[in-house]
């Protein structure tokens, strides 16, 4: 069975909290997870695993500081056709750069040949529902699409 590597890009903690909630929910369903809140590209398994990247957008459409070196390393790789992934993007629709970091990392992975298992989930922090509640409601359909269960 595959495992899930939750890769977090979070400046203020929202994306980290969403990833922690998802990790707990996946573990409760018997799916092994590893949470990476300071991700290092070379230390994260790329075989027999699914990457679930949960990132917010910071500043003027930038990546959060904790994921910058990960994205830099990722951009240096030529072929990620062996990698399966999904992206959860958190942002604020009052900004022109809404979810730009999540959109950019999704595009980068796709350009490197990685296999997207489900469409990107975009969370607006201005919605009435808490981002983690929306992500948890989405999780069962994501599990089905990934074939984890």
């Amino acid at each position: 069975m595959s495992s899930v590597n939750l890769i977090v890009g979070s400046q203020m903690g929202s994306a980290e909290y969403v990833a922690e909630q998802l990790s707990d929910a996946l573990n409760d369903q018997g799916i092994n997870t590893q949470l990476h809140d300071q991700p290092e590209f070379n230390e994260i398994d790329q075989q027999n695993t699914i990457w679930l990247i949960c990132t917010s957008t910071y500043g003027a459409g930038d990546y959060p500081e904790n994921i910058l070196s990960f994205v830099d390393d990722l951009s240096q790789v030529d072929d990620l056709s062996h990698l399966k992934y999904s992206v959860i993007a958190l942002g604020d629709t009052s900004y022109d750069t809404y979810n730009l970091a999540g959109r950019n990392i999704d595009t980068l992975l796709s350009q490197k040949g990685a296999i997207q298992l489900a469409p990107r989930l975009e969370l607006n922090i201005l919605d009435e529902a808490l981002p983690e509640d929306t992500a948890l409601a989405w999780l069962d359909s994501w599990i089905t699409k990934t074939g984890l269960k």
Side-chain angles (χ1 to χ4, degrees), residues 3-7 32-36 43-53:
S3 64
V4 177
N5 279 282
L6 287 123
I7 300 165
N32 293 326
T33 64
Q34 246 190 318
L35 190 66
H36 303 275
E43 295 177 8
I44 301 174
D45 185 15
Q46 297 176 32
Q47 304 293 332
N48 197 35
T49 188
I50 296 168
W51 283 9
L52 181 53
I53 299 172

Side-chain angles (χ1 to χ4, degrees), residues 43-102:
E43 295 177 8
I44 301 174
D45 185 15
Q46 297 176 32
Q47 304 293 332
N48 197 35
T49 188
I50 296 168
W51 283 9
L52 181 53
I53 299 172
C54 187
T55 188
S56 61
T57 298
Y58 181 68
D62 300 319
Y63 291 107
E65 290 178 19
N66 74 305
I67 200 170
L68 285 173
S69 66
F70 173 83
V71 173
D72 286 343
D73 291 345
L74 184 64
S75 66
Q76 301 302 315
V77 177
D78 292 328
D79 181 19
L80 290 173
S81 60
H82 57 280
L83 180 67
K84 298 174 184 174
Y85 78 97
S86 293
V87 174
I88 298 174
L90 285 84
D92 179 334
T93 54
S94 68
Y95 289 92
D96 293 341
T97 57
Y98 172 66
N99 284 339
L100 192 57

Side-chain angles (χ1 to χ4, degrees), residues 125-137:
I125 62 163
L126 297 180
D127 285 344
E128 287 185 30
L130 295 172
E132 60 271 16
D133 291 344
T134 303
L136 287 169

